[in-house]
Structure formats: C-alpha cells, structure tokens
Amino acid sequence: QIVQRVRKQYSDQLFLCYAYAPYDDAPKVNRPDENLIIQFCPWLRCRTHPYGLDSCTRSVRTYQQFTGWAKITHHLWLYEYGAYTWSCPYPNLQKTARDFRFFATQGAEGWFRDICFADWWTEGINQYVDCRLAWNPQAEADELIADYCRLFGTAQTPLVEYFQILEKAMQKAGCIFIT
C-alpha cells in the first residue's frame, strides 16, 4: 500500500524491498506492486550445494522460495551472502555458476553480494567469478577460474589446481550454512 501511494507522485521510480528471514516465502495472496523490486535474501541457504539439489533439504527449500517469488514479482533481485565460513577459504565456484544460470532462467534482474573479509584468500576469485557471471550467466566456471589465475603469471597452473582441490574439499564437507 505504501508503494501504491508513493507511486502516485513518483510513477517512474522503483522501490526495493527485502524478502528476508520471516519473509523468505512469497505471499500466497498478495502480489508485489509493479514498481517494487523484491530482493530475495536467503540467509538460511546451504552454501555448498546449488539451488534445488534434491539431496540437500536447504537447497530444495531455497529453490522453492526463490521460484515462488519469481512467479509473482515483476522485478526480482538476489542478495547473496558470500561464503561466511568464518576464516575458512571457500571457493565454491562451480556451484556459483550453476546458481547464476538458475537465476537467469527465473528472470532475475539484479544481484548484490555481501562479503566477509575474514575469507580474504578466496574473496578475490569469488568476487571475480561472481561479477563475470552476473554479466554472463552462461560463462563456464573453469574458464573464469583460469582467466583469474592468469593474473598470477607463472603461478597460474598451480593456483588453478589449488582452487580445484579446495572446491572438492568443500563438496566433501557437505552442507554448510549459517543459523
């Protein structure tokens, strides 16, 4: 109702609203106003698995929430929390690539990534890959990783291998989430 009243004076403006915590689920009755951007904030999502992975209940739940919003809103953005593994290096770049392709299929228009400076070693590659995928969700994670690591000259090959080892270890660790 607030957006509808403000729209009378500012009809060409969009307004942003977080779908956060108790509001992660899309409403079943009301539909967001056409001038309202819904920014989905999946705080309780699994940080290891892509959206909708059947073997991960949190990924399935987050998938259902996101697709629920995608069905009813005119403008959908994502608020991604980054890794937040509290000082543990966390390159989960293959998952990120799958997630960006999923966001694109759902019509997501915007994306914001919160960062955690405690994860400093992998923040560079995480941000690089995220930004490149935001520009082109169809980009291949392996190509983006190699491109980023090329910045390190002769260390490119061992660095690519290092990130692959870390990512495999994260996958073996199972679900990682924040409560």
Side-chain angles (χ1 to χ4, degrees):
Q1 293 174 349
I2 293 171
V3 172
Q4 292 169 352
R5 288 190 305 202
V6 174
R7 183 174 34 153
K8 290 177 184 174
Q9 186 172 353
Y10 302 100
S11 60
D12 60 338
Q13 300 297 309
L14 295 175
F15 305 92
L16 185 131
C17 175
Y18 287 158
Y20 177 76
Y23 304 102
D24 281 350
D25 292 317
K28 300 199 184 317
V29 177
N30 296 326
R31 184 179 171 100
D33 190 270
E34 62 189 51
N35 288 53
L36 192 61
I37 298 167
I38 299 297
Q39 188 161 19
F40 180 67
C41 308
W43 177 253
L44 294 176
R45 76 167 286 192
C46 175
R47 306 285 179 230
T48 305
H49 299 116
Y51 279 67
L53 183 70
D54 290 341
S55 61
C56 176
T57 56
R58 285 185 186 259
S59 291
V60 169
R61 177 83 174 114
T62 307
Y63 172 89
Q64 292 167 341
Q65 292 170 322
F66 192 86
T67 55
W69 281 109
K71 290 174 186 171
I72 66 165
T73 190
H74 299 277
H75 306 283
L76 183 60
W77 289 15
L78 177 73
Y79 185 111
E80 182 57 67
Y81 289 94
Y84 280 99
T85 55
W86 314 119
S87 299
C88 181
Y90 193 83
N92 205 355
L93 308 166
Q94 301 296 332
K95 176 204 78 70
T96 301
R98 288 190 298 271
D99 284 347
F100 267 93
R101 285 190 275 285
F102 166 68
F103 303 146
T105 66
Q106 297 300 305
E109 299 174 343
W111 162 82
F112 174 85
R113 184 177 190 272
D114 199 345
I115 62 170
C116 180
F117 289 108
D119 302 333
W120 65 271
W121 173 234
T122 54
E123 274 305 302
I125 194 165
N126 286 336
Q127 290 182 38
Y128 179 81
V129 169
D130 285 355
C131 289
R132 294 287 303 272
L133 288 167
W135 187 260
N136 176 12
Q138 302 309 316
E140 293 297 327
D142 289 334
E143 292 174 16
L144 298 177
I145 294 165
D147 190 49
Y148 175 83
C149 292
R150 195 175 343 233
L151 299 170
F152 296 89
T154 58
Q156 177 185 3
T157 300
L159 195 52
V160 167
E161 291 170 2
Y162 172 77
F163 285 125
Q164 290 171 340
I165 290 167
L166 274 180
E167 187 157 9
K168 286 177 185 172
M170 296 310 298
Q171 290 299 318
K172 287 181 183 177
C175 294
I176 296 176
F177 51 88
I178 305 164
T179 57

